[in-house]
Amino acid sequence: MTVADLGQAGNRNGAGMIGIDQELSVAKSAKAAIDALSTTGPNSSIVETLRHARDLAASAMTFLGEGPLNDGRDKIGITFSILIRALGDGGPTREKIEDAKGAVEDWMKLLDGATPRSEPKIQRRRSQMRGPRR
């Protein structure tokens, strides 16, 4: 996925809403960008990918029902902002890179656990209180 693809991912479902699978795809791209920092050093493509992931995580936060996932998204916002600032100031420290790597891995785990395909199907049990209606 290129940076241009990442920029379009937020608009696929309209009104800036994206699905968990698309958010997971952006998280994987951000992880690849962080991993690339170790070998290639900072560049504008990496910064753009991190900025997009940070913005997407912030816009995906909801008020109800996703407490741990929202906490992970919030952590992405904070650690990626710190890393992006360090990249602009001449280079991040190993600690900042590792913090961002840990945050994105946690985010990916939370997203993977939230995907619709992983939700268990709940089977309804027949009520013992009354029999079938006649």
Side-chain angles (χ1 to χ4, degrees):
M1 181 173 268
T2 66
V3 174
D5 294 334
L6 293 174
Q8 295 171 358
N11 297 327
R12 289 188 183 146
N13 289 342
M17 299 285 294
I18 68 158
I20 294 290
D21 290 337
Q22 291 166 325
E23 189 175 350
L24 182 58
S25 177
V26 171
K28 288 177 182 178
S29 296
K31 184 177 183 322
I34 292 168
D35 291 342
L37 277 174
S38 301
T39 58
T40 63
N43 65 49
S44 62
S45 177
I46 289 174
V47 172
E48 184 63 31
T49 300
L50 296 175
R51 192 172 283 136
H52 176 72
R54 178 199 63 195
D55 294 346
L56 181 122
S59 68
M61 288 183 32
T62 60
F63 293 105
L64 300 173
E66 296 179 342
L69 183 52
N70 280 341
D71 292 345
R73 290 168 174 152
D74 185 50
K75 188 174 179 183
I76 285 295
I78 294 167
T79 57
F80 278 25
S81 291
I82 291 169
L83 182 58
I84 291 166
R85 176 170 284 165
L87 289 168
D89 290 343
T93 64
R94 174 64 40 205
E95 179 185 0
K96 290 175 183 169
I97 293 172
E98 291 302 319
D99 287 348
K101 187 181 286 190
V104 79
E105 288 170 355
D106 291 346
W107 185 32
M108 288 170 53
K109 286 177 192 172
L110 290 165
L111 287 167
D112 196 39
T115 55
R117 64 181 171 272
S118 67
E119 292 179 9
K121 298 210 181 222
I122 299 172
Q123 294 183 357
R124 296 191 79 178
R125 205 173 51 158
R126 241 186 110 113
S127 173
Q128 301 293 323
M129 298 300 288
R130 69 171 128 155
R133 291 186 179 182
R134 295 185 187 186

